[in-house]
């Protein structure tokens, strides 16, 4: 298949999944709007349909809560068999929530970085039309960043905490195993899983994890999704390296957008300086030469190696020495992440050495196209261009071989999860057309 054929097919996926002014990640498995998915989709769309890319961003931000949060699932009055349905969350009619039905959680903040990339590429050709759009969305982005740095700040560091594994985007990552093991999911509201109807149960979270996901939603609704109460009471409270890295990069990108609009940047400067001050002390494990997540409930590091550990490269938070160690000791180590006898494609989302590594089970090991794309971006930042190229080549080879799947088995490239997956298609366009 030629590059042009792949781009054509990727555009077809986005067109097929298009629901008007938003694009579900998959029309069967995830039939509503998801926060970070829509950001990646907007980036892909911006190459061939800028008005539609802008509509994608607007529909996401329309669901912003009054307190600034941008939710992780937005339902937009679309009927579906998805669980949880909109009313399960009990987010409506609270003083701080939004007018559009949504979940009570947020998701990794990649939207601002996507808009900055679009800005660099589009401002000269689209001038005032683009700047008007930027002026419209800027205050909403700022409000979301402010919310992340305050409403989710449990310890005065400004590093946001996540209160549910779904907020990380890496729902059933082994990163959460110990924190979830502490939870006994009693008095669960009645529910029926729907996620194993379209995708094989072998590729989805195990039932004990899923019960805890539902239990945590129930805790959130009992606390009426009130940020202070969530920080004090949610049994799951984690500072995730990937989430915090994305926010740092997004803060820097927001600053660049502020400068383009002639806006004040002091607040962003403060966030950036504060994160730089605390990041290494909180996350860097010098003995292992890797970043580790932090359990803010038990105040202990989480000694599990996953793709999250490489996102400080995407953020520009790693020093040259740290970057070199991440590459030499982990990314290029065949016992952990590099291709070798037991895997062929970059990048297993969990180190092959981890006891919970499972190459087909969702976030326990499969290759994800967005992770590959973000790590490759980070590697280029640190001069590892040839390695970055290997990441892009593997992503494209996987999609050529198995289609635009949600994730892939790193051993043989078998496509897993949902087919016709929107962000895999969108990032193909970004990789090939940029
Ligand atoms: C799901 O339903 O598995 C989603 O990932 C939740 O965000």
């Amino acid at each position: 298949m030629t590059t042009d054929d792949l781009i054509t097919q990727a555009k077809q996926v986005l067109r097929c999944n298009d629901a008007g002014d938003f694009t579900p990640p998959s029309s069967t498995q995830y039939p509503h709007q998801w926060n970070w998915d829509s950001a990646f989709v907007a980036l892909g769309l911006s190459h061939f349909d800028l008005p539609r890319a802008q509509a994608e961003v607007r529909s996401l931000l329309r669901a912003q809560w009054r307190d600034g949060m941008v939710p992780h699932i937005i339902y937009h009055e679309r009927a579906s068999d998805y669980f949880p349905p909109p009313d399960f969350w009990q987010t409506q009619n609270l003083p701080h929530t939004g007018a559009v039905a949504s979940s009570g959680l947020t998701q990794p903040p990649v939207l601002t970085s996507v808009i900055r990339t679009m800005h660099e590429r589009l401002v000269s050709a689209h001038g005032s039309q683009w700047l008007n759009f930027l002026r419209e969305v800027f205050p909403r982005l700022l409000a979301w960043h402010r919310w992340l740095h305050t409403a989710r700040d449990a310890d005065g560091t400004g590093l946001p905490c996540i209160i549910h594994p779904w907020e990380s985007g890496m729902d059933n990552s082994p990163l959460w195993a110990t924190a979830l093991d502490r939870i006994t999911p009693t008095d669960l509201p009645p529910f029926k899983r729907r996620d194993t109807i379209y995708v094989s149960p072998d590729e989805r979270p195990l039932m004990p994890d899923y019960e805890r996901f539902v239990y945590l939603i129930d805790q959130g609704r009992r606390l009426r999704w009130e940020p202070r109460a969530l920080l004090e009471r949610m049994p799951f409270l984690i500072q995730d390296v990937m989430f915090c890295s994305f926010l740092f990069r997004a803060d820097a990108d927001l600053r660049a957008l502020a400068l383009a609009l002639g806006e004040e940047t002091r607040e962003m400067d403060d966030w950036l300086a504060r994160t730089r001050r605390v990041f290494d002390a909180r996350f860097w494990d010098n003995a292992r030469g890797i970043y580790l997540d932090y359990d803010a409930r038990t105040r202990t590091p989480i000694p599990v190696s996953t793709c999250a550990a490489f996102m400080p490269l995407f953020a520009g938070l790693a020093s040259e020495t740290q970057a070199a160690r991440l590459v030499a000791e982990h990314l290029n180590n065949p016992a952990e992440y590099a291709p070798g006898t037991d895997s062929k494609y970059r990048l297993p989302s969990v180190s092959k050495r981890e006891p919970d590594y499972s190459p087909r089970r969702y976030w326990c090991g499969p290759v994800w196209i967005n992770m590959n794309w973000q790590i490759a971006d980070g590697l280029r930042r640190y001069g590892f261009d040839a390695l970055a190229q290997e990441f892009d080549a593997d992503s494209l080879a996987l999609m050529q071989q198995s289609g635009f799947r949600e994730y892939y088995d790193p051993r043989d490239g078998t496509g897993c999860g949902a087919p016709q997956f929107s962000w895999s298609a969108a990032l193909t366009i970004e990789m090939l057309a940029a």
Side-chain angles (χ1 to χ4, degrees), residues 30 34 72 82 166 171 204 362:
Y30 311 106
W34 262 258
H72 109 284
Y82 179 74
W166 285 358
D171 303 9
R204 292 293 302 170
Y362 207 33

Side-chain angles (χ1 to χ4, degrees), residues 119-248:
H119 170 73
E120 302 296 341
R121 208 152 52 208
L122 297 167
V123 66
S124 51
H126 294 269
S128 59
Q129 194 274 347
W130 172 259
L131 287 173
N132 287 341
F133 170 73
L134 211 53
R135 220 162 267 125
E136 175 194 329
V137 298
F138 179 83
R140 288 185 175 267
L141 297 173
L142 177 61
W144 186 22
H145 286 227
R146 224 175 242 157
W147 181 87
L148 286 165
H149 281 292
T150 53
R152 283 305 178 79
D153 179 9
D155 58 6
T157 58
L159 296 173
C161 289
I162 56 171
I163 57 159
H164 190 294
W166 285 358
E167 291 201 318
S168 71
M170 302 179 289
D171 303 9
N172 66 337
S173 172
L175 285 169
W176 324 130
T178 308
L180 293 181
D181 276 354
R182 287 200 309 270
I183 294 172
T184 308
T186 47
D187 295 330
L188 279 183
F191 75 97
K192 193 160 168 36
R193 279 182 80 162
R194 314 288 298 174
D195 62 308
T196 46
I197 295 176
Y198 301 106
V199 171
S200 158
D202 298 347
E203 297 170 14
R204 292 293 302 170
L206 295 165
M207 195 56 177
D209 288 336
Y210 211 89
E211 283 175 352
R212 283 158 179 82
F213 299 158
V214 172
Y215 176 83
L216 287 169
I217 295 174
D218 189 43
Q219 297 310 297
R221 3 189 251 196
R222 286 167 196 256
L223 299 168
R224 298 171 65 78
W225 303 106
E226 203 284 303
R228 186 51 43 196
L230 294 172
L231 282 189
E232 280 164 14
R233 310 269 298 278
M234 279 302 261
F236 183 94
L237 195 72
I238 306 265
Q239 285 166 337
D240 170 41
V241 169
M242 183 169 99
F243 197 101
C244 294
S245 298
F246 287 168
L247 183 57
F248 182 85

Side-chain angles (χ1 to χ4, degrees), residues 65-66 89-98 224-226:
W65 284 13
R66 283 180 200 86
W89 294 94
Q90 301 177 8
T91 52
Q92 294 284 272
N93 305 318
L94 298 173
H96 61 296
T97 60
R224 298 171 65 78
W225 303 106
E226 203 284 303

Side-chain angles (χ1 to χ4, degrees), residues 320-331:
E320 298 290 326
T321 311
Q322 287 167 321
R325 289 193 67 186
L326 288 173
V327 169
E329 295 172 34
H330 306 287
L331 277 185

